[in-house]
Amino acid sequence: DAGVIQSPRHEVTEMGQEVTLRCKPISGHNSLFWYRQTMMRGLELLIYFNNNVPIDDSGMPEDRFSAKMPNASFSTLKIQPSEPRDSAVYFCASSRDRPEAFFGQGTRLTVV
Amino acid sequence: QKEVEQNSGPLSVPEGAIASLNCTYSDRGSQSFFWYRQYSGKSPELIMFIYSNGDKEDGRFTAQLNKASQYVSLLIRDSQPSDSATYLCAVRETSGSRLTFGEGTQLTVNP
């Protein structure tokens, strides 16, 4: 199994630009999580999906952030417009009917 | 009060010693507890989970859970330099699949 696949691995963008992060969960997993990790705040859950349906988006910082899961094998996290304070490592994780999650390698986002 | 609290460290132990990592949580109804290891620049990886009070052993790792005290710990026996990493405690809330993470404890094992 290839594990959770995220792209891109690194993204540098200018303030105000739209950023789209992508995630392919492990095949057969039915829960998908988006996390953000910073030195100041640690690992924060942004949103999670179960069977492609958003269950809890209370961690999404503001309306500039949106996430979709159009099918069981793909999810996106979009930031529009991006701001320097959005700079962080964004992780996608997935699981199957179990609470433990398996993480992708992350996308390091830098907004300048 | 944070939902999941860990000592941020850094914790430094000599090679071969026992490293003890601690975590407390606020939701008394929490059912599942996890320890993740994260090497610098890498993603978190699951190393242990525990659901019941008591100890659970896996190789050099032992997870300990005390629900009455809302306390979970991870012991690493015969610590190796390769154990040097940040250890994240995670707790599953009473309902749903949401995991809440502590801020992590940075462990350094000195040769």
Side-chain angles (χ1 to χ4, degrees):
Chain A
D1 197 322
V4 177
I5 299 173
Q6 292 186 245
S7 64
R9 292 292 307 276
H10 302 274
E11 176 80 34
V12 180
T13 191
E14 290 185 347
M15 182 173 62
Q17 296 298 306
E18 177 180 295
V19 176
T20 299
L21 311 181
R22 296 173 175 79
C23 175
K24 176 179 169 56
I26 293 172
S27 178
H29 282 194
N30 58 356
S31 292
L32 183 140
F33 309 84
W34 282 101
Y35 287 90
R36 177 173 68 178
Q37 188 173 41
T38 61
M39 289 292 291
M40 291 296 294
R41 301 173 67 91
L43 197 60
E44 304 173 279
L45 178 66
L46 301 177
I47 185 171
Y48 83 88
F49 296 84
N50 186 257
N51 294 323
N52 311 339
V53 176
I55 301 300
D56 182 355
D57 65 355
S58 59
M60 296 286 263
E62 48 197 275
D63 292 345
R64 297 184 298 107
F65 286 69
S66 63
K68 294 182 179 179
M69 191 165 187
N71 57 62
S73 60
F74 184 67
S75 177
T76 59
L77 177 68
K78 185 176 294 186
I79 308 171
Q80 166 62 22
S82 58
E83 297 182 2
R85 59 192 170 115
D86 301 330
S87 298
V89 180
Y90 290 80
F91 287 106
C92 176
S94 71
S95 68
R96 178 189 170 93
D97 295 327
R98 298 178 66 84
E100 64 265 32
F102 297 89
F103 284 75
Q105 292 304 301
T107 295
R108 182 174 295 276
L109 173 66
T110 303
V111 183
V112 298
Chain B
Q1 180 186 2
K2 294 180 181 177
E3 294 178 54
V4 180
E5 292 203 52
Q6 296 180 252
N7 291 330
S8 61
L11 174 66
S12 183
V13 301
E15 184 174 357
I18 296 175
S20 178
L21 305 163
N22 305 315
C23 173
T24 58
Y25 59 94
S26 60
D27 182 358
R28 185 169 289 279
S30 298
Q31 297 295 319
S32 312
F33 308 88
F34 307 85
W35 284 99
Y36 282 79
R37 176 176 62 200
Q38 186 174 24
Y39 291 113
S40 180
K42 302 296 185 181
S43 60
E45 57 177 326
L46 180 69
I47 54 173
M48 291 227 35
F49 61 88
I50 186 167
Y51 299 156
S52 304
N53 274 329
D55 294 0
K56 179 181 180 182
E57 187 174 316
D58 183 0
R60 295 187 296 112
F61 298 94
T62 299
Q64 299 175 317
L65 175 61
N66 184 326
K67 289 187 178 180
S69 300
Q70 296 175 239
Y71 176 91
V72 58
S73 65
L74 179 70
L75 301 179
I76 307 174
R77 292 182 299 280
D78 188 23
S79 296
Q80 302 296 309
S82 59
D83 295 326
S84 298
T86 296
Y87 288 81
L88 299 163
C89 172
V91 175
R92 185 180 74 116
E93 60 182 11
T94 305
S95 61
S97 299
R98 182 190 182 104
L99 282 180
T100 301
F101 283 82
E103 293 188 358
T105 298
Q106 184 179 343
L107 171 67
T108 300
V109 180
N110 300 305

